[in-house]
Amino acid sequence: PTATATTTGNPPPDVIRSGYAELIVTDLAASRWFYVDLLGLIVTAEDDDAIYLRAFEEYLHHSLVLRRGDMPALGRLAYRVRGQDQVDAAERYFRGIGVDTRRVPAGATRGIGEAVRITDPLGFPVEFFYDAEHTERFTQRYDLHHGNAITRLDHFNVMVPDVKAAHRYYTGLGFGVSETIIDDEDNVYAAWLYRKQTVHDVALTGGDGPRLHHIAFATAERHQILHTCDVLGALHKEHHIERGPGRHGVSNAFYLYLRDPDGHRIEIYTTDYYTGDPDNPTVEWSVDDDRRRSFWGHAVVPSWYTDGSRVHDLDGRVVPLSAPAVREAERTGVIVGADGFAIATEGDQKIPFKLGEQV
Ligand code: DHY
């Protein structure tokens, strides 16, 4: 997508992609089991306070930081920009739209160069960086890959009370919109936005926010996702599986949602589609279409809609929540939508029911 200049005259920074996330976790050993032993992420570095992880195709220092803290939370989302001059561009752009910016020196996050941090207008702690330490890319170190090898970070998914406002903010930042879930009354329930040439770098999920809905990692193939399920079954750790495996309607990707030992949600995701042409069409899904989330019409478990990780501001304080004005659930007296509710059709009768729990 082409970045557009704002009214302040400062163009948005040229964001390449979602770059890394920092999660606050309460027990580093338990997290290490989940992310390293189970999911097979590579440890680039670790100390008493944090573990820095990357996936097999990644050559930057990390795509995930697990930092020890008292309460599970999102510490930071980080976008990579196209060069160090774009870190300056981010500072100018956000100052221009009235957002406090904070410049942090190289090494403020181990492996990352001088960067700019903000609490974004949606309430999320976000960093823009370019310089980063390079490490060895393990794409062909098949001797180290397990059957469920993860190749790279794919995207962030954030829960926001006002999806339309968040959509405006991210398109202003130059993101393209690949898909949305809408109704015929101008409500937007969810949206998927990209800078790299895939379906998304960030998705917006309507709900109490700001909260992190999930972080997603990509595998090369479907069988690697299925293998994670089999391993969890074999270890009797199946309770870490929250939703799936299955095929998304939105994005067409194959997916699995896991919950880590602190309850942070991780998606494992593969094979969505190319969005790199400038006229890539936006796909609009009706909230009434039961294939929008699970293409096979499977129930979405209620926790997937209700649960999310609280977020920290730049000083490590938990950001308060706001509730959405419109919830996806109810519309003109009929229970519908991507909020755990659906409509069953029997003959010409429409029967509302709650997915996974008949009412
Ligand atoms: C959907 C959710 C995601 C994603 C792509 C599509 C829609 C859904 O199945 O809920 O997290 O990455």
Side-chain angles (χ1 to χ4, degrees), residues 38-39 56-57 139 142 145-151 218-231 245 254 256 258 268-271:
L38 173 72
L39 295 183
F56 286 105
E57 277 184 7
T139 309
Y142 287 111
H145 295 203
H146 296 286
N148 60 354
I150 288 173
T151 44
T219 61
E221 299 175 44
R222 250 189 301 198
H223 67 80
Q224 288 148 331
I225 291 181
L226 298 175
H227 193 69
T228 291
C229 298
D230 284 337
V231 170
F254 203 77
L256 170 70
L258 303 172
I268 317 289
Y269 178 95
T270 190
T271 52

Side-chain angles (χ1 to χ4, degrees), residues 180-355:
T180 58
I181 295 177
I182 55 170
D183 63 19
D184 50 17
E185 282 150 32
D186 201 33
N187 294 309
V188 183
Y189 298 95
W192 285 259
L193 299 104
Y194 61 95
R195 285 293 299 176
K196 70 178 180 308
Q197 302 183 341
T198 63
V199 169
H200 55 323
D201 287 288
V202 67
L204 313 170
T205 299
D208 293 358
R211 286 184 298 166
L212 175 71
H213 191 274
H214 65 262
I215 288 164
F217 288 95
T219 61
E221 299 175 44
R222 250 189 301 198
H223 67 80
Q224 288 148 331
I225 291 181
L226 298 175
H227 193 69
T228 291
C229 298
D230 284 337
V231 170
L232 283 166
L235 297 174
H236 212 327
K237 298 282 188 188
E238 69 286 355
H239 58 277
H240 286 282
I241 299 176
E242 184 187 36
R243 180 185 155 200
R247 175 167 319 270
H248 286 306
V250 169
S251 81
N252 192 46
F254 203 77
Y255 72 88
L256 170 70
Y257 294 97
L258 303 172
R259 301 292 289 271
D260 85 356
D262 282 289
H264 296 303
R265 185 180 293 104
I266 298 297
E267 180 179 21
I268 317 289
Y269 178 95
T270 190
T271 52
D272 57 0
Y273 58 91
Y274 166 76
T275 57
D277 280 23
D279 58 352
N280 181 74
T282 300
V283 178
E284 293 184 335
W285 288 83
S286 163
V287 75
D288 298 323
D289 188 336
D290 271 342
R291 299 168 307 168
R292 69 198 178 281
R293 291 196 178 273
S294 165
F295 196 55
W296 310 327
H298 282 129
V300 175
V301 290
S303 64
W304 192 90
Y305 293 104
T306 56
D307 295 3
S309 305
R310 298 297 293 270
V311 312
H312 278 179
D313 67 14
L314 295 185
D315 296 312
R317 288 177 304 236
V318 178
V319 179
L321 296 183
S322 311
V326 188
R327 287 195 190 264
E328 219 167 304
E330 291 186 30
R331 201 167 56 118
T332 54
V334 189
I335 299 169
V336 293
D339 197 18
F341 295 88
I343 299 222
T345 308
E346 251 181 43
D348 56 3
Q349 263 208 308
K350 299 266 189 204
I351 302 165
F353 69 99
K354 187 160 191 250
L355 290 169

